[in-house]
Every structure is written in structure tokens, then in C-alpha cells.
Amino acid sequence: MLENMSDKYTITKYQDGQFLDVEDVIVNEFPLTIFVNDMEFATMVCTPTHFEEMVVGFLASEGVIRSYNDIHSLSIDESRGYAYVMLKVNMTTNQEYYSKRFIGSCCGKSRQFYFHNDAKTAKTSMSNTTISATQSIALMNQMQSSSQVFLETGGVHNAALCSPDEMIAVRTDIGRHNALDKLYGYSILNRVPVRNKIIVFSGRISSEVLLKAAKIGVGIVLSKSAPTDLAIKLAKDLNITAVGFIRGKSFNVYSCPERIID
């Protein structure tokens, strides 16, 4: 799958007062349209890897399915950019909020679209997992150094599902919400218990990212970047430990600090 993430292009580079023709690695961007029960549901602009995980995670995140058992069939037509999902049950969410929506790679869905089903799908964390400061910094360093595509292009987000001691799965995407959906789909497809797990994330902790973490079911989110004020408020409401600015040997804890131990 790694070969689908980027391509090489000849570009013009300006450096030290002159123009040079050089080869550069550019991250790929791919639109995937999801059909649910033969109706167009959403188009997601993503990095073209782990499609099945992303579709499953996205549908679970939006409350369309509760488990993989709700899916009768799922097929991906990569040549056309289509994902076809047939459910065993009728959709329980109001489809007018989803029909033919476009979800770009730079940010999440509109606030109106995003918040309609959060009350049903976001979970207050009951996690008793703790992690040390040293482990938090080590997991961030391990995730960042493991992403060859990020090192080559600088154009993707990384997200990892971890225990305090090790990374379990790492997913990469141009859209930070897509990377989290891929992790959610991974946990569903592989029946990985998530209550005692941690999400390590390269991007900022927005309200959307925090709610995605709540829907997945983890109690700790570790980020290299900053949180927003709404994300902090939601983290406190949902009993999630939000840690930001993990850089070098320092970080900031914004909510539920009791899970970060010395």
C-alpha cells in the first residue's frame, strides 16, 4: 500500500539565487465516494490506502453502524473511486444530514453536519489506563520516525493506536480525520479492545479530533501540536486526557492529568 501514498515529480526549486530542476516526492490525494444501501452517502478525499478500514471507521464514527456485523457486504472499486456498502439493518441516523456530502482533506465536516449524531456516538471514557511522561514522549518519537511518507513529503498526518509500551497500528492520511477513521476501522475489523488504549496523533487536537477519539473509546490522546479551547472543554466533559505539544522532553496536559504519571 505504501506505493500508493506518493509519486515523484520534477519541479522547479529556487535556492541560493538560482532556479534548479529537481525531483520531489508529492503525497497523493484521492476522492472515494461511499454508497450505502445503493445511495450516495459521502465523498472523502484521502490518501489511497486502507480503504476498508477508513470506510468502516467512518460509518461507525457517524453512528451508521455499531459493529462490523451490521455490514452485509463491503466492496471497493479503486479504478472508479467507489466504495459500496450494503447494511443488514436500515440506517438509524437521519440520512438528510449525510446525503452526497463532500469531506475535504484539509479539515473535517461542517459543524452542523458533524454534531448531529455525536450525542449517540461519543463515549465518556471509563479508562483506567495510565502512562508515564517518558512513555508518552517515546511513543510520539516512535510514531513520527516510523512514517516514511511524512519524512519524504511533509504532507500527511499520522495517527497511532498504542498501549503505554508499544505501537499497535499506525495509519497515515492527508486528512487527520481520515487517519483516525482508519484506526477506528482497524480496531473494529481486528476486534482490538480500545478502552485501555491510547491515540498518538501528529496534528492539532481540534474538537473534531477529540470527538473522534471519544467515539473510538480511548481515554488518552497524545499530540505533537496544540489543542483548541472547545477540544479541551469536550475532553473534560468526556473524561479524556488531552496532551499537546509533545516535543523534545516536554509537553502540556490540558485535561484529566491523573492518567499521566511520573
Side-chain angles (χ1 to χ4, degrees), residues 126-142:
M126 304 301 290
S127 173
N128 295 319
T129 298
T130 59
I131 184 172
S132 73
T134 301
Q135 288 173 316
S136 300
I137 293 169
L139 287 176
M140 178 61 67
N141 291 337
Q142 186 180 359

Side-chain angles (χ1 to χ4, degrees), residues 1-2 4-6 27-32 43-55 58 103-108 143-144 147-150 153-160 170-183 200-203 208-209 212:
M1 287 187 176
L2 292 176
N4 296 330
M5 290 190 182
S6 62
V27 68
N28 289 338
E29 189 171 11
F30 184 87
L32 181 72
T43 296
M44 306 179 73
V45 179
C46 62
T47 298
T49 63
H50 302 100
F51 287 131
E52 183 178 11
E53 291 178 356
M54 186 178 69
V55 171
F58 173 69
I103 304 168
S105 61
C106 294
C107 57
M143 182 191 70
Q144 290 294 85
S147 176
Q148 186 63 32
V149 177
F150 176 78
T153 69
V156 293
H157 293 282
N158 297 311
V170 182
R171 294 295 179 262
T172 298
D173 203 280
I174 54 173
R176 56 184 180 269
H177 48 287
N178 295 338
L180 293 168
D181 283 334
K182 288 175 180 180
L183 282 185
V200 183
F201 190 59
S202 64
E208 177 190 17
V209 167
K212 287 275 189 183

Side-chain angles (χ1 to χ4, degrees), residues 5 20 24 32 55 63-64 81 97 101 107 126 134 136 154 165 197 205 218 220 234 242 247 249 256:
M5 290 190 182
L20 304 170
D24 198 11
L32 181 72
V55 171
V64 177
Y97 298 141
R101 296 308 296 253
C107 57
M126 304 301 290
T134 301
S136 300
D165 299 313
K197 300 302 186 296
I205 307 176
V218 300
I220 301 174
L234 288 169
R247 300 176 184 182
K249 295 182 179 181
C256 306

Side-chain angles (χ1 to χ4, degrees), residues 103-115:
I103 304 168
S105 61
C106 294
C107 57
K109 302 164 286 296
S110 70
R111 179 167 296 185
Q112 180 181 11
F113 176 46
Y114 188 77
F115 283 113

Side-chain angles (χ1 to χ4, degrees), residues 212-230:
K212 287 275 189 183
K215 292 175 181 186
I216 292 170
V218 300
I220 301 174
V221 179
L222 308 177
S223 172
K224 185 180 180 181
S225 191
T228 66
D229 67 328
L230 181 54

